[in-house]
Amino acid sequence: MDEITQLLEKRRAGDSAAEAKLVELVYPRLRRLAASFIRRERPGHTLQATALVHEAYLRILPENDRTLVNRSHFFALAARIMRQVLVDHARGKRAKKRNSGLQMVTLEEEHAIEPARPVDLIDLDSALQRLSEFDVRKTQIVEMRYFGGLSNEEIAELLNISDRTVKREWSLARAWLAGQLHAPNPSSEK
Amino acid sequence: MTADRWARINALFEHVYEMQEPDAEAWLAGQCEDDPTIVDEVRKLLTDHRGAGAFLETVAAPFSLHEVAPPREPAAVTSERFEIRDFLGKGGFGDVYSAFDRQRNVLVAVKHFRQQTASSTALIRFKEEFRRVAKRSADLNHRNLVRLYELVQEGTNWFLTMELLSGTDLTGALDQPVGAERPRIFLELTDGLEALHSAGILHRDIKPSNIWVTDEGVVKLLDFGIAKELEEFQRGASSLGTPDFVAPEQIAGQTTSPASDWYSVGVILYQIFARRLPFEGNTAAVLAAKQERDPPAPSAFVKTVPEDMEALCMGLLRRDPERRFGAKEIREAFTKRLAKPRVASTPPGSRDVSRDDDALIGRAAELVEMHSALYRTSKGQPCCLHVIGESGMGKSAVIQQFLVMALAEDSDTVVLRGRCYETEVVAYKAFDELLDDLARFLQNSTPEARDAMMPRHAGALARVFPVFQPAKSPHVRSGDTGARQAVGDPVAARREAFRSLRELLGRVADRHRLILFIDDLQWGDSDSLALFREILSGPGAPPLLMILAYRSEEADRTPLLRDIAREEQAWNVPVTRVELKALTPEDSEALARQIVASPEKRGKNAIARVAAESAGNPFLIREFASFVSESPDAATSELTLQAVLERQLRTMDLPVARALEVIAVAGGPLDEKIVYAAANFGADLLAARSAVLSTRLARAAAAAKAWFGTAYDTAINLAINPAFRTSFNLDLYHGRVRSALIEHLSAERKREIHRAIAQALEESGAADYERMLAHFRGAGDRERAAQYARRAGDRAGTLLAFEHAARMYRQALEIASEGTSTDAAELWTLLAGALANAGRGAEAAQAYFSAADSGREDRLWLQMRGAEQLLISGHNAEGLARLRDVLPRLGVPCPKSRWWIELSIWWNRRRARQRMRHPVGRTRSGVEFERQMDACWSAAMSLALADPRRSAEFCARHLFWAMDSDDPYRMSMALAAEAVHCLADKNASTDADLLLAEARRMALTAPGQESEAFVACMNAIAASLRGRWRESLSFARRVAPSRESRPSSSSPKPDAPAAKHHEPHAAGWERDGAVIFSLIAQTMLGEWQAAAQALAEVTREARDRGNRYRLVNFHLLTAAFVTRLAGDEPKKAVEEAREWIAMWDSSSPDSPSFDLQRYFAAVWEAEAALYEGRTADAWTIHDTAWKRLRSSDLMRLQILRIGAAFLRGKCAVAAAALDQANSSRATLERENTPLATALAAALRACIASTQGDPDKTEAALANAESLLTQAEMIPWVAATQYRRSGVVSDWMQAQHIANPVKLADFLLPGTWPRASASRKQ
């Protein structure tokens, strides 16, 4: 049996070392995959995480091991890793900006006009980190939906809860995160 | 947040989140009376829930590359050449699209406009004007200016093509929070604008929408020069600029100057800081206000404007252009911002960290420049970054910082490093360590990635660079045809290896951001030059950043650096030079303060003293500062490096001090085990290591060298598994420490240490011959030193590092001359072989002569080889003299006078034909006879271009002998060569076809394919000599590639005196001939672009081999000149021709003082004069040369006679000497070949035009056009067409003729009525 499949099974059985090992194995592949996606993509197109995760599934998991159970678990795992990949990338971009200007002057802090802001992945990541401290399941749901592109049905099946619960928990998590991200000072949480 | 509290919040939220707002509020009001904050929180969540909109609803898109697709409009235009893709925007006078240029196979941006009112004559004038300006703009290859390529007309559609850019214009960037990059934006904008100004172009319309910022963050100025003029041409009026941004003097109609552009930059800056324009209102009001008053200060609108920026704005917006700020002030202001020193605190006691950390002090501007170079490589081309500075200026440290930043910024960066060492003598020194790094990188890649990156001929790579040998690193795919290179031409094998390395680097660069860093290049070797050239030059070079660091004081002394400086421009790689200068006194003190422990206690005085004594040298600052902080009596002691080190050595244990001395004497990193053995350390490796490293004067350097066999495996293991670190190399921290240590050693002590190292090396069983040579020599053991020099040379030879091999043999000889038992004769022969392979013909010849002098039995043959080397490297006079000396002794007669030569040719041809008609089979044989024939053939081949008649003589004699030998191999080649010589000879040209047919027939029966290829070459040359260009080209193409694999053509059956791999690759005369004649054929067929490309390729190879003979002949006799004229560069063409002829040595003692090359040099001078319209000069120059030509036997060459007559006729027409012209025409007609007849017809038309008879002219042109077409003289056909219709032909367009009018005047001179140009329209 393929190493990844074995590890997936161990992880399902609650082996946290297996999880770490899986991340270590899949992270570089997913990252490279994302990079190659970008190189292939024509400018003006955006790439959906969903497509990437599906492709990763096909490329990483051997055909014989692609059972329904493995599929869900793999997707959950991939969603987590996608979160890492994307956040790391956002950090890299930020570092790039910083380095290229050597961060010795930041004119923008005083003078830039604030445009409508897209989701700041780094802030989102730390908000998710805080959320996971008191509600792991909601964190997972956000990961799967936002980073892994899984549907409510898929998430429900995976977490063994009802579609409705997924929908409700998603709404709450999203509202909480929106409050965190748009708050003037994101660390003002009590 | 507690779980309990969160659970309660959850419960409430669940209940109400789908309710209408009032209902929810009503329900919540009664909940959780014990803790109302919970309800508050739920209320907030509900608000956020309702207001969240699309938040997180779209799945995360990895990396928003180009979020907004450009608005697509159906392309309203179609084109043959361009595949129009996306609409990019509306320009001032036309739409801009991205398009695929089918002709050039690249994506470009095109500005399209429709020809509207302008008359066609005006357009032609405009096109000429465009070429003029476009040339000026095209020379502006500046990274902050958009590249303009071409103006293309298709019917009424016009396209201006330019570089396609990613990114946005500054309008966008101004609104977005990318302010951190703004200083850079302005610095780059300033660079670009200044480059424009220094090219004599004003922009006149600087505004945010004309300033582009690419995705890589590079600023590009748009819409300048021709783009602007095009717009004005289309509008029929000159443009004023944009009212908001235009300078006051521009409005007033006064003279504009660069200052006007800087004003506009000021407006942009003002806009950023004041968040409004300097003047607002309607256009008239703004324009008036600009003239009348200064704008309010930006701080009137925004309080927080920094003072320096406000001053800069106001300075740039001064109304008086004389007093206005410019590039200098902008640069000052922004560089200062970038370089604001950080307040960094040094962790106590950790000197290593601080070393890296304070590398930045006083170096911010340099780092910015380095980053700019890095961004350039993201454009898909390589970039070369020179980091220069005196020893101790902190080059390595700054680069280290830069690399750390590059890695932090993009973790997908691959950095390969290498360093050269002063006393190291490995081959390809500059790349040695770097390639170890590359091998390690491959080793650590996944097998799939590795397979994808390995070049096609991994075996070829491994042959030259043993690091890649499969036995040691299993990543070379099995089944590779590496072994096929085992025999064959070593130079070709080396080229193949280099190509493979380039391919490998290219594949790495496709997948990762690739940075190559070579430190201390001042110790680099000349062999490495060819590698730099291979990696960096030509189209499709891998997009990598090559960082070269070296000491400024050595830049002029090191041959490698001098060569790089000389060649670099030709490689067409953007080069950034960053010079690290001495730190300013303030920066010096800042740095000292960081290092000196508790500076308060030491006092200001100590800091000031360190700063003053070190003269801004960061290395000395560090050394002195640590000394000051560690020594109690530092205040009174002497502050020189020597003194500081001596004090330290005195306090060390003996073995430790000795280990440092050993490393110093070793001259580069040395395996630590050797160090400890030579320094008499005890057996405890770890104790020794920690003792040495704790001095902080030595460091662990990169792992062992590839030569060390097992050490290489260690290196791989080290990289993979840190636990396997059993042994590594030790080096001193800095070169200055080394020189200070060495200075303090006595001569006796140095010898002792050399011996200790040499013995330790020998005992370790390492195969590091170069090192052992150096150390045994240093120890005075000549016998063993010479032995290792010889072995090192042999090894370098098998690795194809010929320069290195030659150096090693030279060393061996040098040592031998000091008196050893080594066989000097053999060493000379080996040296000669290595030099010949390195393309140093003259030196190789001298070595052969020395070998012959030391009394070997094959003395004569060695002398023959020497003569051959002289001839093929262009040393004709000496070569000929040597030949005449040695040939008779080998039994080959050597005629003394021209008269004898002619007689001998006649006689031998007669004898040979007799034998052909009445074959008698083999009449002579034997080794002696074979040798005679070989020598004769070698003489014939090496003299082919230097002295054609003498060559013909040897050729005829060889043919006769070959008949006697009855060897089909030899006979076929002899016959083919004979055919060519006969064609060149008008008395014998008739049976050339017969001879060629016979040669082809015999070649089929000869073993191997060499004779077939040779015969094909001769066929190509023969066809060219008769003006059958297409036939010539098709024969030549059959040969070219296969020739390289044969070791030598000048001796059909080589009996090499030296080892096989040292077999010199001699003349290859027939191959050179095929190259020359196919280039000529391409020129005549009008394939000028292709010819220029082919020429560049063969030039590169000739340069690789240092082959002067080829360089000169390829350029002087072929296409180089006309392709220069195609680019409208007559001056350059003449300069180059002069350069080549200066390289050519032809002062032969007997007669051919005037040779082919000299004649052609004169031809090009005359042609250039003709092109430039200096008709009298053209006539005089050519007339002089022609008179000499007539009296030389070169006139036997019909093709030359035809060319000379035509040129003479052209010059005469241009000078209006019609009688002269008519006589040349008659000469041409008498030659009676299709080519001559066609050229005569062309000349007739030229004459008719000068006589001013339009009807006769037209008739003559029509006749010439059809005859020239038959003669395959495409450029002349184009010229007649241009003469007849005034239309620039397809050929001229396709070949990018820069100045069609001038070229036509040059091809067909005459008095052409300009009015006739538009006759057809």
Side-chain angles (χ1 to χ4, degrees):
Chain A
M1 196 190 287
D2 182 71
E3 187 184 16
I4 290 189
T5 322
Q6 274 179 356
L7 286 167
L8 275 173
E9 269 173 21
K10 280 195 192 152
R11 175 178 180 265
R12 209 167 348 151
D15 181 346
S16 64
E19 157 114 20
K21 183 78 189 140
L22 270 171
V23 171
E24 193 184 306
L25 277 174
V26 178
Y27 181 95
R29 296 213 209 170
L30 211 56
R31 207 191 114 88
R32 225 167 293 135
L33 205 56
S36 75
F37 256 66
I38 288 181
R39 286 190 190 125
R40 255 188 287 148
E41 232 27 66
R42 276 168 52 101
H45 289 237
T46 50
L47 155 73
Q48 293 296 312
T50 323
L52 184 60
V53 169
H54 278 84
E55 175 138 351
Y57 173 66
L58 293 178
R59 290 225 194 159
I60 296 174
L61 217 60
E63 202 166 5
N64 295 339
D65 297 341
R66 283 185 215 143
T67 61
L68 217 57
V69 180
N70 279 338
R71 180 175 190 274
S72 315
H73 282 270
F74 182 83
F75 277 29
L77 177 77
R80 156 145 318 159
I81 295 173
M82 271 313 290
R83 173 177 160 196
Q84 277 186 29
V85 170
L86 292 177
V87 170
D88 286 352
H89 181 80
R91 288 219 174 85
K93 257 171 78 173
R94 190 177 272 185
K96 184 166 175 175
K97 280 196 181 131
R98 198 183 307 131
N99 278 337
S100 52
L102 294 175
Q103 234 223 345
M104 285 161 192
V105 244
T106 45
L107 289 179
E108 103 268 17
E109 272 149 31
E110 308 155 22
H111 305 288
I113 305 140
E114 187 88 334
R117 195 163 50 162
V119 178
D120 184 330
L121 288 180
I122 299 169
D123 287 354
L124 178 65
D125 183 58
S126 49
L128 276 173
Q129 188 60 41
R130 290 196 294 277
L131 179 62
S132 70
E133 281 159 22
F134 48 87
D135 196 334
V136 176
R137 193 163 75 188
K138 288 196 183 63
T139 315
Q140 283 181 330
I141 291 178
V142 174
E143 252 173 16
M144 290 181 203
R145 247 192 89 143
Y146 184 65
F147 289 105
L150 301 195
S151 67
N152 282 357
E153 289 73 12
E154 280 170 314
I155 298 170
E157 188 187 300
L158 192 67
L159 296 177
N160 204 10
I161 50 180
S162 72
D163 294 3
R164 247 198 82 72
T165 313
V166 175
K167 186 171 173 249
R168 190 181 63 239
E169 302 229 314
W170 164 253
S171 299
L172 177 53
R174 192 169 78 106
W176 187 82
L177 288 169
Q180 292 291 311
L181 260 64
H182 297 156
N185 179 1
S187 60
S188 70
E189 197 234 343
K190 276 168 253 173
Chain B
M1 173 95 52
T2 61
D4 177 49
R5 184 180 165 86
W6 182 244
R8 290 177 70 181
I9 294 174
N10 261 280
L12 294 183
F13 183 84
E14 181 181 338
H15 198 90
V16 297
Y17 85 104
E18 281 176 327
M19 289 183 184
Q20 293 294 311
E21 201 177 347
D23 298 344
E25 188 45 49
W27 187 81
L28 277 174
Q31 301 296 321
C32 286
E33 268 142 359
D34 61 315
D35 187 353
T37 61
I38 290 187
V39 179
D40 287 345
E41 208 144 325
V42 174
R43 282 202 189 96
K44 178 165 181 311
L45 279 171
L46 278 176
T47 319
D48 286 335
H49 171 62
R50 293 191 189 105
F55 179 66
L56 299 187
E57 283 297 353
T58 321
V59 173
F63 331 141
S64 51
L65 27 159
H66 298 273
E67 296 288 5
V68 192
R72 255 171 209 269
E73 268 183 25
V77 54
T78 52
S79 151
E80 275 174 31
R81 172 156 165 194
F82 302 104
E83 182 190 320
I84 305 288
R85 297 203 168 161
D86 295 328
F87 172 79
L88 299 178
K90 276 202 182 302
F93 62 103
D95 294 343
V96 186
Y97 299 92
S98 69
F100 180 74
D101 184 341
R102 295 186 181 103
Q103 195 167 315
R104 291 176 50 230
N105 272 330
V106 286
L107 279 173
V108 291
V110 295
K111 218 168 214 190
H112 164 251
F113 73 101
R114 260 201 185 89
Q115 180 180 325
Q116 284 163 359
T117 50
S119 71
S120 51
T121 37
L123 266 174
I124 286 177
R125 208 166 349 111
F126 174 73
K127 267 184 92 168
E128 278 167 27
E129 178 69 1
F130 171 82
R131 291 207 166 85
R132 193 179 56 75
V133 185
K135 262 202 71 45
R136 220 159 26 134
S137 316
D139 288 341
L140 279 173
N141 189 357
H142 192 274
R143 87 181 201 109
N144 301 120
L145 298 175
V146 70
R147 289 276 306 184
L148 300 178
Y149 297 134
E150 277 179 274
L151 181 64
V152 177
Q153 180 192 11
E154 284 184 7
T156 55
N157 286 319
W158 288 70
F159 301 92
L160 174 66
T161 67
M162 55 197 140
E163 175 185 15
L164 182 63
L165 300 170
S166 62
T168 57
D169 66 35
L170 201 58
T171 341
L174 289 183
D175 293 340
Q176 264 164 30
V178 290
E181 291 183 348
R182 225 160 264 163
R184 235 183 50 141
I185 289 180
F186 274 93
L187 286 172
E188 294 199 359
L189 169 59
T190 305
D191 285 350
L193 193 51
E194 209 176 34
L196 202 60
H197 290 161
S198 52
I201 302 172
L202 293 184
H203 191 292
R204 288 183 293 158
D205 196 10
I206 296 274
K207 56 184 173 187
S209 60
N210 276 339
I211 299 165
W212 201 262
V213 183
T214 67
D215 286 346
E216 294 84 31
V218 180
V219 174
K220 302 263 184 191
L221 266 172
L222 308 182
D223 264 338
F224 54 83
I226 190 61
K228 188 108 220 88
E229 287 177 33
L230 199 55
E231 181 184 339
E232 287 169 4
F233 175 77
Q234 185 73 357
R235 278 217 195 111
S238 71
S239 80
L240 176 72
T242 312
D244 284 336
F245 293 89
V246 79
E249 67 270 16
Q250 251 166 305
I251 310 162
Q254 293 160 8
T255 14
T256 49
S257 67
S260 318
D261 283 343
W262 296 119
Y263 183 93
S264 312
V265 175
V267 176
I268 299 175
L269 200 63
Y270 191 98
Q271 217 185 353
I272 291 174
F273 285 100
R275 305 229 194 124
R276 50 159 278 158
L277 288 161
F279 300 100
E280 290 188 344
N282 66 42
T283 307
V286 168
L287 294 182
K290 276 190 180 177
Q291 310 263 29
E292 287 158 11
R293 56 175 188 271
D294 289 330
S299 55
F301 306 104
V302 174
K303 289 258 175 313
T304 53
V305 178
E307 271 173 44
D308 55 337
M309 288 292 122
E310 174 148 311
L312 183 60
C313 282
M314 297 310 281
L316 286 168
L317 294 178
R318 281 185 188 157
R319 275 175 295 159
D320 178 1
E322 301 276 308
R323 293 180 52 243
R324 196 172 295 152
F325 281 8
K328 184 170 150 274
E329 289 83 1
I330 299 180
R331 233 177 242 132
E332 268 171 19
F334 280 103
T335 316
K336 225 179 269 164
R337 301 213 123 216
L338 278 179
K340 254 184 210 163
R342 300 156 315 138
V343 192
S345 64
T346 319
S350 94
R351 184 170 160 192
D352 282 0
V353 174
S354 68
R355 265 177 199 269
D356 290 339
D357 224 39
D358 39 54
L360 282 179
I361 289 184
R363 299 298 189 213
E366 287 85 350
L367 273 168
V368 172
E369 271 185 73
M370 294 166 73
H371 271 281
S372 305
L374 180 58
Y375 287 119
R376 275 198 208 181
T377 59
S378 54
K379 293 276 299 167
Q381 72 176 93
C383 185
C384 200
L385 171 64
H386 292 247
V387 180
I388 316 156
E390 282 170 29
S391 166
M393 276 307 157
K395 296 180 288 293
S396 316
V398 170
I399 294 169
Q400 177 62 25
Q401 272 306 296
F402 166 72
L403 293 175
V404 167
M405 284 161 131
L407 279 163
E409 168 188 299
D410 181 352
S411 54
D412 198 22
T413 303
V414 173
V415 178
L416 305 176
R417 300 161 204 250
R419 174 188 286 265
C420 307
Y421 298 95
E422 188 172 5
T423 59
E424 187 182 59
V425 272
V426 296
Y428 307 115
K429 200 164 157 180
F431 285 85
D432 190 59
E433 274 193 9
L434 189 138
L435 294 179
D436 291 357
D437 239 12
L438 178 57
R440 235 166 284 154
F441 163 74
L442 289 173
Q443 189 67 29
N444 288 340
S445 304
T446 62
E448 305 88 63
R450 198 186 302 143
D451 278 353
M453 284 186 285
M454 284 311 283
R456 275 159 300 171
H457 304 306
L461 188 65
R463 163 130 197 244
V464 176
F465 307 109
V467 212
F468 298 101
Q469 250 155 36
K472 287 173 181 171
S473 47
H475 55 251
V476 177
R477 270 169 290 169
S478 55
D480 180 82
T481 52
R484 82 194 171 87
Q485 288 294 340
V487 266
D489 179 4
V491 178
R494 187 174 85 163
R495 245 185 99 62
E496 177 84 347
F498 284 12
R499 260 193 217 125
S500 298
L501 180 63
R502 174 181 164 122
E503 192 184 328
L504 171 58
L505 288 172
R507 291 178 181 190
V508 176
D510 284 347
R511 289 165 178 79
H512 311 274
R513 183 157 82 170
L514 180 58
I515 303 180
L516 269 48
F517 166 35
I518 303 175
D519 206 352
D520 278 336
L521 195 64
Q522 72 272 9
W523 314 132
D525 58 326
S526 299
D527 278 326
S528 299
L529 178 71
L531 260 176
F532 280 113
R533 191 188 297 138
E534 179 69 41
I535 293 171
L536 293 174
S537 69
L544 49 84
L545 178 66
M546 172 77 81
I547 307 178
L548 305 177
Y550 52 89
R551 295 189 185 166
S552 44
E553 64 267 31
E554 305 283 346
D556 300 332
R557 266 184 268 161
T558 311
L560 174 64
L561 291 175
R562 280 204 309 260
D563 290 345
I564 290 179
R566 203 190 54 230
E567 274 195 22
E568 203 163 43
Q569 211 168 12
W571 298 345
N572 213 3
V573 193
V575 175
T576 306
R577 273 169 211 284
V578 172
E579 188 167 1
L580 298 182
K581 299 215 170 71
L583 294 180
T584 62
E586 297 83 60
D587 286 337
S588 301
E589 289 200 15
L591 178 56
R593 203 167 296 121
Q594 305 248 333
I595 296 162
V596 172
S598 53
E600 313 76 37
K601 215 165 73 196
R602 305 268 162 208
K604 249 188 133 165
N605 220 356
I607 302 282
R609 205 164 147 240
V610 166
E613 293 289 326
S614 54
N617 184 313
F619 168 75
L620 290 179
I621 296 175
R622 290 199 177 88
E623 287 305 317
F624 296 166
S626 2
F627 176 69
V628 163
S629 37
E630 282 159 18
S631 333
D633 57 345
T636 52
S637 38
E638 190 192 353
L639 271 189
T640 65
L641 187 59
Q642 194 86 16
V644 169
L645 280 177
E646 262 172 26
R647 278 181 64 106
Q648 281 178 278
L649 283 177
R650 270 205 299 277
T651 60
M652 285 174 198
D653 289 344
L654 199 62
V656 179
R658 191 174 152 109
L660 289 176
E661 289 168 358
V662 164
I663 305 172
V665 170
L670 187 60
D671 187 328
E672 59 175 338
K673 284 182 188 147
I674 309 281
V675 173
Y676 308 142
N680 283 330
F681 259 100
D684 186 349
L685 183 82
L686 289 176
R689 182 189 293 167
S690 75
V692 172
L693 290 180
S694 71
T695 63
R696 289 186 303 196
L697 290 171
R699 64 192 161 99
K705 301 253 82 60
W707 310 131
F708 284 18
T710 54
Y712 175 72
D713 297 333
T714 316
I716 293 289
N717 280 315
L718 273 174
I720 300 167
N721 181 6
F724 192 74
R725 279 180 189 279
T726 53
S727 167
F728 46 114
N729 286 347
L730 287 173
D731 193 15
L732 293 172
Y733 238 118
H734 201 274
R736 297 199 56 147
V737 174
R738 168 163 289 128
S739 43
L741 277 172
I742 291 208
E743 230 167 274
H744 115 125
L745 293 174
S746 71
E748 182 50 38
R749 181 109 184 86
K750 260 187 258 177
R751 261 201 301 282
E752 225 173 86
I753 294 175
H754 273 303
R755 178 167 302 280
I757 299 175
Q759 282 168 349
L761 278 169
E762 214 169 37
E763 276 159 30
S764 75
D768 195 349
Y769 307 139
E770 282 86 352
R771 264 223 146 105
M772 289 192 244
L773 149 67
H775 292 304
F776 276 120
R777 210 175 172 192
D781 187 340
R782 286 197 290 261
E783 198 74 37
R784 271 201 277 186
Q787 205 180 320
Y788 283 118
R790 163 82 193 266
R791 284 164 83 171
D794 290 351
R795 180 169 57 191
T798 54
L799 296 173
L800 315 177
F802 306 118
E803 297 271 358
H804 183 64
R807 231 171 9 247
M808 289 297 106
Y809 292 136
R810 278 232 160 90
Q811 284 217 30
L813 279 164
E814 217 176 285
I815 301 165
S817 73
E818 295 162 10
T820 66
S821 56
T822 322
D823 175 9
E826 193 180 353
L827 281 175
W828 279 117
T829 317
L830 290 169
L831 173 63
L835 286 168
N837 274 323
R840 299 177 176 263
E843 288 168 66
Q846 294 315 319
Y848 275 125
F849 298 143
S850 300
D853 288 347
S854 42
R856 294 235 319 209
E857 53 183 87
D858 53 357
R859 186 166 49 84
L860 289 177
W861 187 247
L862 289 171
Q863 280 175 355
M864 184 68 212
R865 295 241 129 169
E868 182 187 289
Q869 284 296 324
L870 283 172
L871 286 169
I872 66 168
S873 59
H875 299 82
N876 298 332
E878 202 195 337
L880 195 60
R882 291 279 185 171
L883 263 191
R884 292 176 61 173
D885 175 49
V886 71
L887 280 174
R889 288 190 283 149
L890 276 164
V892 182
C894 205
K896 289 202 175 55
S897 70
R898 292 279 134 194
W899 187 82
W900 269 112
I901 293 175
E902 295 307 325
L903 188 66
S904 169
I905 293 176
W906 174 80
W907 169 238
N908 279 307
R909 280 187 183 158
R910 216 183 119 96
R911 295 203 286 179
R913 276 164 188 67
Q914 190 74 26
R915 279 282 152 79
M916 276 171 72
R917 274 192 295 273
H918 311 288
V920 291
R922 176 171 305 185
T923 53
R924 285 174 76 184
S925 57
V927 179
E928 198 60 25
F929 182 50
E930 292 270 318
R931 279 234 157 157
Q932 246 171 309
M933 283 192 290
D934 285 349
C936 188
W937 178 250
S938 164
M941 291 298 115
S942 31
L943 281 169
L945 286 179
D947 190 343
R949 287 312 283 173
R950 206 176 265 283
S951 169
E953 197 269 338
F954 287 119
C955 215
R957 184 180 301 277
H958 177 261
L959 175 63
F960 172 67
W961 283 346
M963 291 294 167
D964 273 357
S965 78
D966 199 32
D967 170 0
Y969 175 86
R970 208 180 270 281
M971 281 195 289
S972 64
M973 287 166 50
L975 280 167
E978 175 69 11
V980 169
H981 275 300
C982 284
L983 264 184
D985 195 334
K986 74 176 152 197
N987 306 320
S989 60
T990 41
D991 57 2
D993 282 323
L994 197 85
L995 292 171
L996 283 172
E998 184 66 10
R1000 280 197 296 269
R1001 191 182 64 77
M1002 288 210 179
L1004 291 176
T1005 63
Q1009 288 169 1
E1010 286 164 30
S1011 45
E1012 259 185 275
F1014 183 89
V1015 171
C1017 274
M1018 293 303 116
N1019 270 295
I1021 295 173
S1024 257
L1025 287 174
R1026 294 157 144 181
R1028 299 178 193 159
W1029 313 120
R1030 279 187 218 286
E1031 181 188 325
S1032 170
L1033 211 50
S1034 84
F1035 270 116
R1037 283 192 177 132
R1038 266 188 240 173
V1039 221
S1042 68
R1043 306 304 300 164
E1044 274 304 344
S1045 57
R1046 204 155 55 96
S1048 166
S1049 60
S1050 57
S1051 48
K1053 284 181 179 164
D1055 52 344
K1060 192 80 185 165
H1061 59 262
H1062 285 159
E1063 175 62 26
H1065 186 280
W1069 175 76
E1070 78 288 359
R1071 182 178 171 273
D1072 292 349
V1075 168
I1076 290 172
F1077 282 97
S1078 70
L1079 284 172
I1080 294 176
Q1082 280 182 309
T1083 311
M1084 299 306 175
L1085 290 168
E1087 298 173 8
W1088 290 5
Q1089 299 276 325
Q1093 231 168 41
L1095 182 62
E1097 174 67 19
V1098 290
T1099 303
R1100 199 149 98 133
E1101 205 202 297
R1103 278 231 164 85
D1104 271 1
R1105 293 169 187 264
N1107 192 323
R1108 194 156 79 167
Y1109 172 91
R1110 285 187 193 161
L1111 283 174
V1112 172
N1113 286 314
F1114 288 173
H1115 283 88
L1116 272 181
L1117 307 187
T1118 68
F1121 195 82
V1122 279
T1123 52
R1124 277 284 178 222
L1125 293 190
D1128 198 14
E1129 300 170 303
K1131 291 249 172 349
K1132 227 172 190 167
V1134 169
E1135 270 166 36
E1136 284 172 355
R1138 284 184 188 156
E1139 221 172 276
W1140 297 121
I1141 198 65
M1143 252 197 195
W1144 187 248
D1145 162 21
S1146 69
S1147 48
S1148 153
D1150 63 340
S1151 167
S1153 53
F1154 186 75
D1155 55 20
L1156 212 52
Q1157 290 72 17
R1158 291 203 185 273
Y1159 174 65
F1160 269 95
V1163 165
W1164 299 141
E1165 295 264 357
E1167 301 265 34
L1170 208 54
Y1171 186 88
E1172 291 178 312
R1174 294 181 284 115
T1175 48
D1177 287 356
W1179 172 261
T1180 323
I1181 297 167
H1182 186 253
D1183 193 47
T1184 316
W1186 189 75
K1187 282 181 180 133
R1188 301 190 68 181
L1189 180 72
R1190 242 185 6 174
S1191 63
S1192 80
D1193 45 31
L1194 289 172
M1195 270 310 248
R1196 286 167 182 281
L1197 288 165
Q1198 189 188 37
I1199 189 88
L1200 206 59
R1201 285 199 306 272
I1202 294 173
F1206 184 57
L1207 176 54
R1208 192 171 164 80
K1210 279 205 311 183
C1211 292
V1213 171
L1218 294 192
D1219 286 349
Q1220 229 2 297
N1222 265 317
S1223 122
S1224 298
R1225 179 184 55 74
T1227 312
L1228 282 172
E1229 277 163 1
R1230 273 196 303 277
E1231 292 288 351
N1232 196 24
T1233 72
L1235 172 66
T1237 316
L1239 291 177
L1243 209 51
R1244 189 185 287 279
C1246 298
I1247 295 168
S1249 81
T1250 312
Q1251 286 165 337
D1253 183 340
D1255 292 334
K1256 209 168 137 196
T1257 310
E1258 171 59 27
L1261 277 174
N1263 183 36
E1265 186 178 333
S1266 98
L1267 287 171
L1268 286 164
T1269 311
Q1270 281 169 36
E1272 305 172 336
M1273 303 284 284
I1274 308 307
W1276 284 267
V1277 174
T1280 49
Q1281 285 166 351
Y1282 181 76
R1283 286 292 177 236
R1284 296 179 75 195
S1285 66
V1287 174
V1288 174
S1289 74
D1290 292 347
W1291 175 80
M1292 287 190 175
Q1293 294 210 354
Q1295 297 294 326
H1296 303 288
I1297 302 303
N1299 194 333
V1301 178
K1302 263 181 134 175
L1303 191 81
D1305 277 344
F1306 160 78
L1307 292 171
L1308 293 178
T1311 315
W1312 303 95
R1314 292 294 164 208
S1316 80
S1318 52
R1319 193 170 0 148
K1320 221 177 180 182
Q1321 285 155 17

